[in-house]
Amino acid sequence: MISIIIPVYNAEKYLDRAITSLLKQDLNNVEIIIIDDGSRDHSIDIVKKHAKENRNIHVYREENAGASAARNLAIEKSSGEYIIFMDSDDDVNFEMIEILKNEIKLNENIDMYVYGLNEVSEEGNIKKSRIPENMNVVTSGTDDILLELFSKHLLSVTWNKMISRKFLNKTRFKNILIGEDYQFYLELMLKQPRLKFIPHALYNYHVDVENSLMNRYDPQRLYVLLEQKKLIEKILTNAMVENEKSKRILKTVFFRNRSNLIINTINGINGAENVSLKEQINILKDGNKNFKVSIKEICHDKNLVKSRKIKLLLAYYPNWFTVMVLKCIYLIK
């Protein structure tokens, strides 16, 4: 059996889309575990309606404790041999379940299946696709596998993988505001899973959702990114990744971390939190010290779009002027 886990919090605007994309598929030997995390809108009514009409859907409710707690509760409530995570504001390819069932039949003893995803606008347009190469079954501790996972940012999200319950064992999500999914999968990668890449975009990630946590300020953001850096360095060391590929992976990670700190800084300035400009500038400086990349690397990296390069360059020597320019760029966006 496959268990599909969906944490829900105030998602009434998108919930039908998410659930319907699953109900249009063959749900034989599939259960959908929905945890309502204390929603204050009509989300619980929507999921109860679907559960009444579909016996594959099981609904549980808890007081608002966050996505990590909701996912952990769902893991305990689920019974599938394989586990998939999905967000309540996204949807999936209508062939996803069939493709994953076939993969299970064809490839035994896989710990984690990794598939592609589309980044989709609210108008339904695909902005970008991230699809892994079609490789044979491999252990995670190989240079090419790790480079593929990190360079295409396939590891840092929750919802493009199917995990064996046996392999998952006691690993659970940490209770942090942002980045709990990345932390979770980094800890799984330390266990060196047997992986199978599926070269299809089976998940649609809606990038313009209003209540995204990435639009909120996280005072622990730098600390979490530093913890993730330690885990990544340990993964690379354990896998004995050759020096040049290790540098490429870390450069990709550091670009991402610096970008996350910039977004967090702007959220702190624009939001209701009482965060001083001086404090935000110091956090950017600390991030730059810990996630070292050169101006030349930023300028010449082929995978960085022009707009992202501009933001990284502005934040390279952070001061009140460059941060205000960054704020204006995000406001205009």
Side-chain angles (χ1 to χ4, degrees):
M1 177 181 283
I2 297 173
S3 298
I4 301 175
I5 289 173
I6 310 176
V8 173
Y9 181 71
N10 292 350
E12 62 178 10
K13 185 176 178 181
Y14 313 102
L15 203 44
D16 265 322
R17 177 179 67 194
I19 296 173
T20 300
S21 71
L22 293 171
L23 295 179
K24 290 184 177 181
Q25 306 188 48
D26 176 14
L27 295 182
N28 185 39
N29 286 325
V30 175
E31 63 175 4
I32 302 170
I33 308 293
I34 299 177
I35 307 293
D36 182 84
D37 190 35
S39 295
R40 297 181 180 181
D41 61 4
H42 293 96
S43 294
I44 189 64
D45 299 323
I46 295 169
V47 296
K48 282 183 175 179
K49 175 180 175 292
H50 281 290
K52 188 176 181 179
E53 298 171 353
N54 301 274
R55 61 183 181 180
N56 303 74
I57 298 177
H58 309 285
V59 180
Y60 303 90
R61 194 171 196 192
E62 64 175 5
E63 292 303 314
N64 184 233
S68 293
R71 291 188 184 113
N72 290 340
L73 174 61
I75 291 171
E76 303 307 320
K77 296 292 185 181
S78 65
S79 56
E81 298 170 79
Y82 295 91
I83 294 173
I84 297 169
F85 297 102
M86 179 179 176
D87 279 0
S88 57
D89 45 24
D90 296 327
D91 62 275
V92 300
N93 182 307
F94 292 155
E95 296 180 324
M96 183 187 82
I97 293 175
E98 180 184 355
I99 290 172
L100 292 177
K101 282 181 177 179
N102 288 334
E103 287 291 339
I104 293 171
K105 291 177 183 177
L106 292 171
N107 299 283
E108 296 181 356
N109 300 318
I110 300 297
D111 300 315
M112 192 188 307
Y113 299 83
V114 181
Y115 43 90
L117 60 102
N118 295 318
E119 295 181 8
V120 183
S121 70
E122 279 309 291
E123 295 75 32
N125 300 317
I126 296 175
K127 292 185 172 183
K128 182 180 179 181
S129 295
R130 289 184 257 162
I131 300 174
E133 293 293 328
N134 188 12
M135 299 183 184
N136 293 325
V137 176
V138 291
T139 58
S140 62
T142 66
D143 296 11
D144 291 339
I145 288 296
L146 291 172
L147 188 60
E148 184 76 1
L149 287 170
F150 285 107
S151 65
K152 292 184 178 178
H153 304 290
L154 294 169
L155 197 61
S156 58
V157 293
T158 318
W159 15 255
N160 66 325
K161 304 169 193 76
M162 180 169 67
I163 312 164
S164 159
R165 177 182 293 275
K166 183 178 179 181
F167 173 73
L168 178 64
N169 198 6
K170 296 181 180 180
T171 304
R172 295 295 184 268
F173 289 89
K174 296 288 192 300
N175 186 25
I176 52 181
L177 180 62
I178 301 174
E180 80 287 347
D181 41 8
Y182 201 11
Q183 193 91 4
F184 175 78
Y185 283 108
L186 289 175
E187 290 177 5
L188 286 179
M189 290 299 291
L190 283 173
K191 296 160 69 172
Q192 296 190 322
R194 283 172 54 83
L195 298 177
K196 177 66 171 69
F197 284 169
I198 302 172
H200 301 286
L202 303 183
Y203 192 92
N204 295 318
Y205 165 50
H206 291 261
V207 296
D208 300 325
V209 174
E210 296 169 1
N211 64 349
S212 173
L213 282 176
M214 287 304 291
N215 295 324
R216 290 170 56 183
Y217 175 69
D218 178 10
Q220 297 297 313
R221 195 74 186 111
L222 177 59
Y223 169 77
V224 171
L225 291 173
L226 289 172
E227 288 299 303
Q228 291 172 355
K229 176 190 174 187
K230 291 178 185 177
L231 289 174
I232 292 167
E233 289 174 338
K234 190 172 182 179
I235 290 168
L236 298 178
T237 300
N238 290 351
M240 294 184 289
V241 177
E242 66 178 62
N243 191 44
E244 281 306 309
K245 287 186 178 178
S246 181
K247 286 181 179 179
R248 286 173 62 189
I249 290 170
L250 288 174
K251 183 178 73 170
T252 299
V253 171
F254 291 171
F255 283 154
R256 177 183 179 274
N257 289 356
R258 284 184 173 222
S259 295
N260 284 341
L261 284 176
I262 293 170
I263 294 170
N264 200 51
T265 296
I266 301 305
N267 290 342
I269 295 171
N270 291 341
E273 298 85 359
N274 186 22
V275 185
S276 70
L277 180 58
K278 182 179 179 181
E279 183 181 351
Q280 294 291 7
I281 290 171
N282 287 334
I283 290 174
L284 283 177
K285 287 180 178 178
D286 287 342
N288 290 349
K289 288 178 185 176
N290 285 282
F291 311 126
K292 292 183 178 179
V293 292
S294 68
I295 291 177
K296 183 178 179 180
E297 286 174 321
I298 294 172
C299 292
H300 293 282
D301 192 278
K302 295 179 180 179
N303 295 316
L304 287 176
V305 297
K306 185 178 179 180
S307 59
R308 194 174 176 195
K309 287 183 180 181
I310 291 171
K311 293 167 189 172
L312 288 170
L313 290 171
L314 280 169
Y316 202 85
Y317 296 110
N319 54 56
W320 71 268
F321 175 75
T322 55
V323 171
M324 287 298 101
V325 172
L326 284 166
K327 179 181 177 181
C328 291
I329 289 173
Y330 279 92
L331 285 174
I332 293 170
K333 179 184 175 182

